[in-house]
Amino acid sequence: MKKLLYTLILSVAASCTHRTAVEADYNVVPLPCSMLTSRGGDFRLTPSTCLVIADSTQFVNAELFAGYIETLTGFRPAIIGKAPSKGYIRLTASNCNATHEGYRITVSADSIVVDGADAAGTFYGLQTLRKAIRGGKGEDVLYPAVMIEDAPRFAYRGAHLDCARHFFPVDSVKLYIDMLALHNINHFHWHLTDDQGWRMEIKSRPRLAEIGSVRSGTIIGTSEKYDSIPYGGCFTQTEMRDIVAYAADRHITVIPEIDLPGHMAAALASYPSLGCTGGPYEVMCRWGVSDDILCAGNEDVYVFLDEVLDEVTDIFPSEYVHIGGDEVPHGKWEKCSACQSKIHVLGLKDDAYSTAEQKLQNHIMKYAADRLAAKGRRVIGWDEIIDNGFDTTAVVMSWRGPQDGGQDGATHGYRVIKVPNTHLYFDYQYAEGDTIGAPYWRKIPLDSVYAYRPVPEYFTPAQAANVIGVQGNVWTEFIPSFREVQYMALPRMAALAELQWCDAPKDFDAFIGRLRCLLPLYEAEGYCYRPLENK
Ligand code: TNX
């Protein structure tokens, strides 16, 4: 009784304290498709507002949203099962008018209802409410009465992180996933293996973690010098499962990449018999591409692929597995008797479109794809797989310029994810004179990300329909720290988010206006980003 009285006095005292309220602004990134201001009063989010969920399917959404609110306002709404008469935000997923991941937000004086087509839709609605907050700690939020209807343009909205060239531990990867969630991105493409490091534990091949995850040193910047400091890192299967679950809570699918048959120096250093010459091989200490690749004429290589891919599918439930296929020098295969006899046995011949070695590459990629298909999985490959003749069951990830693979892929009936290195490579520096990021000749400023057209005007409707998604890549040869990863990704990821989500007309200045309101949220989350003043 005493306790009850005490609580009563406290809440009366709280309601008497004068709290300021700052009006929310729904012009967020990405911009919602439609907003209709409605009559009726505004909704005031206060410390006593609660989140109402009908069942456990919305619990994680509610928990995450309560955390977002707490970070911005300093108070954490309670989560309850039954709505009070007013002052609540209801989370549901019963909106059958919205398409997958779509939502409707209805704001009135008494309540806010966030009704998703599914739990992911509700989550994006909550992200919009989160991003609309303009006030600071200790202030209430005044949400103007509105009806917002929103749904994404692309089903596949991706962001990639290369953890092979530089290793980022679990907590950093989780932070990256948080950044994706803030930008309504639903696929995390995790680049886990490369010439410079193998970063995933494979229990049947323990040397991959023991040997393949450590290089003896790293080239210094753009010099010819090496630091001779051993550099390593590897995710255990438990850690990877933890990351998959963490991402799933945020409606993000993790797509692992096992880049093959090239970019395999770290694997060859671990198991030299998998290469054409038998080694010895080293985990590469410089950037660029190794000439040594998996030997396609060695039957053990196919067993190796079976073992690795079986463990990969065990850890990652994603429908798609990325099997690479980029930048494969065939010089070693041309000189390898085992590869040449495999070419002979398979009856592969040069023709006007591809060489016998390209066809051999296709053979090994197809082998991996079949192994995955037997487990109900599909593959994504870099756009070189088109040149090598892979069939249209694969999704093509088009990286070589805005047209190349992407256009070819879409025009040849492949489904395509666009990630051109001319616009969406966030490892490239923003501008001349930058010191952070890859010092390649091309610079990718924010406006050029925003200007990118994933579906060019000249595409036929059928070709346009083949473009299933858009992605931004963060390769990390020149990005050793996670702070720098954030700096390179933010705010370009915001421009990417609008390409992925909105079908809106392209008004860069209006976008910058919305972005300026997102930056305080980056600050509140402690993200490192490139200030807009730095051109
Ligand atoms: C090309 S994109 C690569 C990567 C590099 C990147 C640097 C692709 C399929 N291959 O191996 O890290 O350029 O920007």
Side-chain angles (χ1 to χ4, degrees):
M1 189 63 197
K2 229 174 162 182
K3 202 168 160 209
L4 195 72
L5 204 67
Y6 181 66
T7 325
L8 204 70
I9 293 168
L10 264 189
S11 55
V12 170
S15 65
C16 293
T17 7
H18 181 71
R19 294 177 58 89
T20 48
V22 179
E23 187 163 300
D25 179 353
Y26 303 116
N27 286 295
V28 300
V29 177
L31 184 66
C33 301
S34 119
M35 299 188 243
L36 284 178
T37 32
S38 39
R39 266 190 283 200
D42 303 338
F43 180 87
R44 185 166 178 144
L45 174 70
T46 73
S48 48
T49 302
C50 39
L51 307 182
V52 178
I53 56 173
D55 56 58
S56 60
T57 58
Q58 291 289 347
F59 184 70
V60 178
N61 277 345
E63 277 275 307
L64 289 169
F65 185 62
Y68 300 150
I69 296 295
E70 189 175 13
T71 301
L72 293 173
T73 66
F75 56 81
R76 188 182 180 92
I79 301 169
I80 57 172
K82 211 165 167 311
S85 57
K86 57 183 184 172
Y88 62 91
I89 300 178
R90 186 197 289 281
L91 282 51
T92 54
S94 61
N95 187 344
C96 33
N97 294 322
T99 49
H100 174 48
E101 300 180 304
Y103 65 88
R104 173 192 285 166
I105 296 176
T106 315
V107 176
S108 62
D110 291 344
S111 68
I112 298 182
V113 178
V114 184
D115 192 15
D118 38 36
T122 318
F123 182 69
Y124 296 121
L126 296 173
Q127 290 293 348
T128 295
L129 288 181
R130 169 197 190 188
K131 285 179 270 196
I133 295 174
R134 295 287 174 265
K137 285 240 158 79
E139 286 169 319
D140 291 353
V141 183
L142 209 58
Y143 284 102
V146 77
M147 159 110 86
I148 298 177
E149 299 211 78
D150 199 12
R153 176 182 184 191
F154 289 106
Y156 182 105
R157 304 180 302 281
H160 147 291
L161 182 63
D162 170 10
C163 288
R165 273 56 175 272
H166 282 103
F167 177 76
F168 306 100
V170 172
D171 285 351
S172 302
V173 175
K174 286 184 175 174
L175 257 179
Y176 194 67
I177 288 170
D178 289 340
M179 288 159 53
L180 269 51
L182 174 66
H183 294 88
N184 298 17
I185 291 173
N186 65 356
H187 285 87
F188 169 45
H189 170 178
W190 200 5
H191 190 77
L192 283 162
T193 67
D194 218 303
D195 291 319
Q196 296 82 6
W198 182 284
R199 307 273 175 238
M200 61 184 311
E201 177 193 24
I202 298 291
K203 291 192 196 291
S204 58
R205 295 281 175 162
R207 288 169 66 87
L208 290 170
E210 284 159 28
I211 312 269
S213 76
V214 185
R215 58 177 180 254
S216 60
T218 304
I219 194 160
I220 302 171
T222 50
S223 75
E224 294 287 307
K225 297 201 186 84
Y226 293 81
D227 63 12
S228 19
I229 303 167
Y231 184 94
C234 195
F235 297 100
T236 66
Q237 295 201 352
T238 311
E239 288 172 333
M240 291 184 282
R241 285 179 208 281
D242 179 35
I243 283 171
V244 166
Y246 186 87
D249 280 350
R250 288 149 185 82
H251 304 278
I252 292 171
T253 303
V254 183
I255 298 191
E257 181 186 355
I258 310 300
D259 200 350
L260 63 104
H263 290 272
M264 273 284 172
L268 297 185
S270 316
Y271 295 98
S273 67
L274 301 177
C276 291
T277 63
Y281 303 105
E282 277 192 343
V283 182
M284 258 172 83
C285 299
R286 61 174 176 82
W287 314 129
V289 178
S290 169
D291 288 336
D292 290 301
I293 63 177
L294 291 176
C295 175
N298 177 352
E299 289 316 308
D300 284 350
V301 165
Y302 297 88
V303 176
F304 170 80
L305 290 179
D306 290 348
E307 290 175 353
V308 169
L309 293 174
D310 286 358
E311 292 192 37
V312 166
T313 47
D314 212 37
I315 302 163
F316 296 96
S318 58
E319 181 188 0
Y320 286 99
V321 174
H322 200 309
I323 55 171
D326 62 315
E327 302 178 319
V328 185
H330 292 145
K332 290 280 154 80
W333 284 1
E334 283 160 13
K335 296 195 196 79
C336 168
S337 57
C339 287
Q340 290 306 316
S341 75
K342 187 88 180 180
I343 284 176
H344 182 72
V345 170
L346 294 171
L348 308 178
K349 297 206 165 54
D350 291 356
D351 62 26
Y353 303 103
S354 40
T355 63
E357 282 75 20
Q358 281 182 303
K359 290 178 184 170
L360 184 60
Q361 179 175 336
N362 198 49
H363 170 77
I364 193 168
M365 304 281 301
K366 191 71 187 130
Y367 179 87
D370 287 347
R371 182 81 187 184
L372 291 164
K375 301 195 173 245
R377 311 303 180 90
R378 297 150 77 128
V379 295
I380 302 178
W382 297 110
D383 55 46
E384 284 93 331
I385 67 169
I386 303 174
D387 310 339
N388 302 336
F390 205 102
D391 61 68
T392 53
T393 54
V395 168
V396 169
M397 191 167 269
S398 161
W399 69 280
R400 294 176 299 179
Q403 316 304 345
D404 263 2
Q407 189 192 359
D408 280 349
T411 50
H412 288 94
Y414 292 89
R415 282 162 315 134
V416 174
I417 297 163
K418 301 279 207 138
V419 49
N421 63 352
T422 48
H423 295 74
L424 302 181
Y425 267 35
F426 299 161
D427 54 322
Y428 287 36
Q429 289 173 340
Y430 287 80
E432 215 59 63
D434 279 11
T435 50
I436 301 176
Y440 306 137
W441 67 272
R442 184 188 283 281
K443 308 295 167 191
I444 305 189
L446 184 63
D447 57 354
S448 93
V449 176
Y450 200 73
Y452 177 60
R453 301 273 185 284
V455 180
E457 322 67 67
Y458 50 81
F459 264 23
T460 64
Q463 290 165 349
N466 280 334
V467 180
I468 61 164
V470 187
Q471 178 170 293
N473 283 358
V474 183
W475 300 100
T476 57
E477 290 96 329
F478 294 91
I479 311 181
S481 75
F482 188 66
R483 295 293 286 167
E484 289 162 292
V485 166
Q486 291 187 323
Y487 180 91
M488 298 309 288
L490 303 177
R492 288 188 286 202
M493 194 179 275
L496 173 70
E498 293 231 337
L499 298 179
Q500 295 172 325
W501 188 273
C502 312
D503 219 351
K506 300 232 167 252
D507 179 341
F508 183 67
D509 292 339
F511 163 70
I512 289 293
R514 292 193 286 282
L515 180 56
R516 281 192 198 286
C517 300
L518 185 61
L519 300 182
L521 212 154
Y522 289 172
E523 304 262 356
E525 293 292 342
Y527 299 156
C528 175
Y529 63 94
R530 181 185 177 84
L532 294 182
E533 299 67 47
N534 298 14
K535 275 292 168 210

